[in-house]
Amino acid sequence: MKRKVPIDFAEERLNERLARTGLRFTAQRRHVYGVLLEKKDHPSAEEVFMRAKDDMPDISMATVYNCLDTLVKCGLVKQVNHDRGATRYCSNMREHHHFYCDECHGTFDIDYDPSAEEPEIHMPDGFHVRAYEIAFRGICPDCAARKRGK
Amino acid sequence: MKRKVPIDFAEERLNERLARTGLRFTAQRRHVYGVLLEKKDHPSAEEVFMRAKDDMPDISMATVYNCLDTLVKCGLVKQVNHDRGATRYCSNMREHHHFYCDECHGTFDIDYDPSAEEPEIHMPDGFHVRAYEIAFRGICPDCAARKRGK
DNA sequence: CTAGGTGCAAAAGGTTTGCGGTTAA
DNA sequence: TTAACCGCAAACCTTTTGCACCTAG
């Protein structure tokens, strides 16, 4: 089987990340990660499941969810949520943002160079931005206080 | 019943927005909007339903979803999606962003002044940002071309 | 050896749909 | 008057859970 992605290289990275997080390396985790690397079109869990079954017919939906969660925990995969639809998964490891099309509901990666002094976002040609929203993540004041307290 | 929000003023705005969008003014739409204005804590549809029932016991879940969709369409309410949980609704009409706490999973509004030359985001004290992502919305190149074509 | 991971099937959670009756304009 | 809207209940889609078996370390 031909692969567009240097999967052996990715496998090493997965192995290292799992070890660092105290998790085991399994065939299913490698395979799900491979599926995400092979076609970076932001598939839903259901879509990942169907693609994964091609080469691993016995894999279960529950395992796909488990593997996806594991990969997110390791920092190898990002969850992408939009409207009320299913969560989608993204293995683009470069820092990037997303563009959602109001018309076809497609999701597109928008790259930028985070190392630049003034990180500039280059919007590719033809994308018409109507609105944008920044989602920050971290620890809120109350939870920070609680953690310091205990 | 005392209200913290000048609901009559909001009612006028709702009426105007509905008319402009060619939609009807109904008691349910007003009431759901009132619920969102009264406590801006990003409730889910289920939570809106429960609060709405206090004053309007016969309102149904389907109607709550319909009203929420209508309010989003009118531009009076924003949907907020995060992780795999239920969609939450936000009636903060000022341009703003959101902060998600990794610990308690709470959602907080992060305001900014969009009229400023260099729109600066002031992160309130005590919020520790671990990561952020920008979600752009609009029309993708393919859909833009298709619309021009037809 | 054994804690952690998997597969299965059932349940839970969230959202949508179809339809007969009601209402704003 | 009538197209739009509502309430109800069933269906649908997505995600989680419990448990018996399996396996990486």
Side-chain angles (χ1 to χ4, degrees), chain B residues 43-142:
Chain B
S44 65
E46 179 73 32
E47 285 161 345
V48 172
F49 177 52
M50 295 199 305
R51 292 178 199 175
K53 274 201 297 192
D54 289 347
D55 288 316
M56 188 181 269
D58 287 345
I59 196 172
S60 73
M61 195 67 213
T63 296
V64 168
Y65 272 104
N66 282 335
C67 292
L68 290 170
D69 286 348
T70 300
L71 293 169
V72 169
K73 212 171 293 173
C74 291
L76 291 175
V77 164
K78 265 190 189 179
Q79 290 190 350
V80 181
N81 292 280
H82 178 234
D83 289 342
R84 293 200 286 239
T87 295
R88 298 178 169 275
Y89 298 85
C90 170
S91 65
N92 181 348
M93 285 300 293
R94 299 184 305 281
E95 290 226 35
H96 68 286
H97 301 303
H98 288 114
F99 181 99
Y100 303 110
C101 180
D102 289 329
E103 199 76 12
C104 67
H105 306 289
T107 301
F108 304 85
D109 284 354
I110 305 296
D111 282 301
Y112 72 98
D113 181 2
S115 67
E117 271 297 319
E118 195 71 32
E120 275 213 6
I121 296 164
H122 169 68
M123 189 60 54
D125 284 347
F127 284 91
H128 292 271
V129 176
R130 187 179 53 73
Y132 74 98
E133 208 221 289
I134 307 181
F136 297 96
R137 287 168 165 279
I139 304 288
C140 76
D142 283 2

Side-chain angles (χ1 to χ4, degrees), chain A:
Chain A
M1 180 182 32
K2 278 262 175 81
R3 291 200 178 260
K4 290 179 228 138
V5 176
I7 199 75
D8 297 336
F9 187 74
E11 187 166 324
E12 235 173 82
R13 187 168 52 199
L14 171 59
N15 204 351
E16 179 241 321
R17 294 282 186 118
L18 286 169
R20 193 197 302 171
T21 322
L23 299 166
R24 290 186 185 166
F25 184 94
T26 71
Q28 287 86 346
R29 285 173 177 173
R30 181 189 50 203
H31 187 52
V32 166
Y33 189 39
V35 164
L36 286 174
L37 289 177
E38 205 155 13
K39 193 151 180 261
K40 306 197 178 199
D41 60 347
H42 309 87
S44 65
E46 180 71 33
E47 285 161 345
V48 171
F49 177 51
M50 295 197 307
R51 293 178 199 174
K53 274 201 295 193
D54 290 347
D55 289 315
M56 189 182 268
D58 287 344
I59 196 171
S60 72
M61 195 66 213
T63 295
V64 168
Y65 273 103
N66 283 334
C67 292
L68 290 170
D69 286 348
T70 301
L71 293 169
V72 170
K73 212 171 292 173
C74 291
L76 291 175
V77 164
K78 266 190 188 178
Q79 290 190 350
V80 181
N81 292 280
H82 179 231
D83 291 343
R84 293 201 286 239
T87 295
R88 297 178 170 276
Y89 297 85
C90 169
S91 65
N92 180 347
M93 286 299 294
R94 299 185 306 281
E95 291 226 35
H96 68 285
H97 301 303
H98 288 114
F99 182 100
Y100 302 109
C101 180
D102 289 330
E103 199 77 11
C104 67
H105 306 289
T107 302
F108 303 85
D109 285 354
I110 305 297
D111 281 301
Y112 72 99
D113 181 2
S115 67
E117 270 297 317
E118 196 71 31
E120 275 214 7
I121 296 164
H122 169 68
M123 189 61 54
D125 284 347
F127 285 90
H128 292 273
V129 176
R130 186 180 53 74
Y132 74 98
E133 208 222 289
I134 307 182
F136 297 96
R137 287 168 165 279
I139 303 289
C140 76
D142 282 3
C143 289
R146 192 172 338 105
K147 286 182 105 174
R148 269 201 308 279
K150 82 152 191 269

Side-chain angles (χ1 to χ4, degrees), chain B residues 16-47:
Chain B
E16 179 241 320
R17 294 283 185 116
L18 285 169
R20 192 197 303 170
T21 322
L23 299 166
R24 291 186 184 166
F25 184 94
T26 70
Q28 288 85 348
R29 285 172 178 174
R30 180 189 51 201
H31 187 51
V32 166
Y33 189 39
V35 164
L36 286 174
L37 289 176
E38 204 155 14
K39 193 150 179 262
K40 306 197 178 198
D41 58 348
H42 308 88
S44 65
E46 179 73 32
E47 285 161 345

